[in-house]
Amino acid sequence: MQLPPHRPEAVVASQSRDLRDWLTLIDAPRIGPRVCARLLEQFGDPGAVLGASTDRLARCGLAPETIAALRQPNQPRIDLSLQWAAQPDAHILTLFDSRYPPLLKEISDPPPLLYVRGDPLLLSEPQVAVVGSRNPTPGGREITHDLARQLTRFGLIITSGLAVGVDGVAHTAAMESGRTIAVLGTGPDLVYPATHRELAREIVQTGAMISELAPGQGPLARNFPRRNRIISGLSLGVLVTEAALKSGSLITARMALEQGREVFAVPGSIRNPLARGCHALIREGARLVESADDILAELSPQLHALIAAADVAVAPRSNQGVVVPLESDQQRLLDAMGLDALAPDELIGRTGLPAEQISAMLVLMELDGHVLSVPGGRYCRGRTAT
């Protein structure tokens, strides 16, 4: 998606000065992500859209009711969003915010605004989405738990939709050794289902909970497919552990394919109806997964690309048990770690390197034995560190 260039210093200023303009634009009827993107391409920013003449807005294809809403916005709804954002650990990220996740910005219809509770920097770290049935078998729960826990041990973030079943298992397992992101199909002030209120509270403490929907919006059926495109859009790949043929999880997986993401599926018994969705995905080209190693092997080139994009040299990996030497920024990261066990946020503060670069390096350095993950999402020197 092409957006008008913004100077870095303008990004922070726009957050405080123009957030009301963003909220006014998004609140107007018939302005979804694609229409918003088109308006931003033509006008540059929401303030310019709001300041445009009625004739020009009409020539851009906006309906009379849309233009009327831009002229006389629903101030109570906008105030509700601003009041929500004034809470501790609450953030509203616009498309022009430097904290907006780069992968999500690449999809064809990125949310113009993201409501975030928790750590917004987490959204830019390497993620794997884990989705599946709302009524998994005991075996499906066990497989989901094991794979999610293993992936977080290698520094990957687990992203899911906070639904009952596989989603809840994935979030819970991820927090045992790492962090997780929950993408909501409601406004950021509501938790659906209500049985996951305590789980949501725990997620916010160490991870993040996000929505593109404004505060006060309840669980409408049409909003959940929209949520699914965010789950896949944030992630390097989507893992389906157990799903029926007609399943929202398959919608997420197919959205992932459209977005150019990897899709992984766990096979099951031919007698298990909740394995049929995974088998269908495998027939369509999804990577068959038996262990976390299958996922890591497939995502390794993308992790290297994340580091290369930040101008970090990556040494060729060895499959023969030979110690892979550290490159300059990897050594810098290890030096900053010292003898302590540190969280990624602390390493960001010590090195000044971007969050996504730190996370990608930690995954590869753990695979090579240079660092080890420890409880609480922290890292310490590994067996091969010098």
Side-chain angles (χ1 to χ4, degrees):
M1 174 182 155
Q2 296 297 319
L3 291 170
H6 268 57
R7 295 174 299 147
E9 63 268 23
V11 174
V12 175
S14 70
Q15 290 299 292
S16 58
R17 189 177 64 246
D18 299 333
L19 186 53
R20 185 175 290 273
D21 290 344
W22 280 93
L23 292 167
T24 298
L25 180 62
I26 299 308
D27 188 63
R30 301 189 182 185
I31 295 187
R34 286 190 170 90
V35 172
C36 181
R38 179 164 52 83
L39 291 172
L40 292 175
E41 288 173 359
Q42 292 187 37
F43 291 92
D45 59 59
V49 177
L50 300 183
S53 69
T54 298
D55 286 345
R56 186 175 179 193
L57 293 175
R59 288 197 301 272
C60 291
L62 297 190
E65 65 173 314
T66 303
I67 298 173
L70 295 177
R71 297 289 183 249
Q72 293 184 317
N74 187 319
Q75 294 297 346
R77 276 206 302 260
I78 293 170
D79 289 341
L80 181 63
S81 292
L82 293 172
Q83 291 165 11
W84 177 88
Q87 300 177 92
D89 294 324
H91 313 267
I92 301 179
L93 308 187
T94 76
L95 273 169
F96 295 158
D97 194 310
S98 60
R99 299 169 297 175
Y100 194 98
L103 276 182
L104 186 61
K105 192 180 289 189
E106 292 177 359
I107 71 174
S108 62
D109 54 349
L113 297 179
L114 286 176
Y115 296 84
V116 183
R117 286 297 300 269
D119 182 4
L121 297 179
L122 200 64
L123 306 183
S124 296
E125 296 192 15
Q127 301 163 45
V128 172
V130 179
V131 296
S133 172
R134 284 176 167 77
N135 298 288
T137 64
R141 287 180 172 274
E142 182 179 351
I143 290 168
T144 300
H145 181 276
D146 290 348
L147 288 172
R149 186 177 57 182
Q150 291 167 23
L151 290 168
T152 55
R153 287 187 64 250
F154 282 102
L156 291 166
I157 308 299
I158 297 300
T159 300
S160 197
L162 201 66
V164 296
V166 163
D167 290 18
V169 173
H171 288 306
T172 301
M175 288 188 289
E176 292 179 10
S177 55
R179 294 179 292 175
T180 186
I181 295 170
V183 184
L184 306 181
T186 64
D189 56 336
L190 301 174
V191 174
Y192 179 82
T195 53
H196 276 172
R197 284 176 181 164
E198 180 59 24
L199 175 59
R201 186 189 64 79
E202 294 173 0
I203 289 171
V204 169
Q205 286 181 342
T206 59
M209 194 163 63
I210 72 169
S211 176
E212 69 172 325
L213 302 172
Q217 294 201 34
L220 301 177
R222 68 174 180 268
N223 289 333
F224 289 91
R226 293 176 59 189
R227 174 206 63 177
N228 293 348
R229 88 187 193 288
I230 299 175
I231 294 173
S232 56
L234 284 167
S235 307
L236 296 172
V238 172
L239 168 65
V240 183
T241 56
E242 202 171 50
L245 276 175
K246 294 183 178 180
S247 166
S249 303
L250 269 64
I251 295 174
T252 307
R254 289 177 177 129
M255 286 180 172
L257 289 172
E258 292 173 3
Q259 295 166 349
R261 309 298 194 252
E262 301 293 339
V263 176
F264 307 95
V266 177
S269 168
I270 60 172
R271 294 183 174 86
N272 177 9
L274 294 182
R276 291 174 184 166
C278 293
H279 292 167
L281 290 174
I282 292 168
R283 283 193 295 270
E284 293 169 9
R287 175 71 180 266
L288 187 152
V289 169
E290 296 178 324
S291 71
D293 288 342
D294 296 324
I295 298 171
L296 292 168
E298 193 72 19
L299 294 182
S300 181
Q302 296 184 51
L303 293 169
H304 280 275
L306 284 174
I307 297 175
D311 294 325
V312 180
V314 180
R317 298 185 57 77
S318 169
N319 295 320
Q320 307 299 323
V322 178
V323 174
V324 179
L326 289 168
E327 295 295 335
S328 58
D329 276 357
Q330 292 175 322
Q331 186 64 54
R332 176 181 169 191
L333 184 65
L334 199 62
D335 292 342
M337 185 177 294
L339 300 177
D340 301 322
L342 300 177
D345 288 349
E346 294 172 295
L347 291 168
I348 292 168
R350 289 191 181 188
T351 64
L353 296 171
E356 61 270 24
Q357 182 180 345
I358 292 280
S359 298
M361 282 198 294
L362 286 171
V363 172
L364 294 173
M365 289 170 70
E366 181 166 11
L367 289 172
D368 289 330
H370 294 302
V371 300
L372 292 173
S373 59
V374 295
R378 294 174 175 267
Y379 293 84
C380 64
R381 285 174 174 260
R383 63 186 183 276
T384 63
T386 57

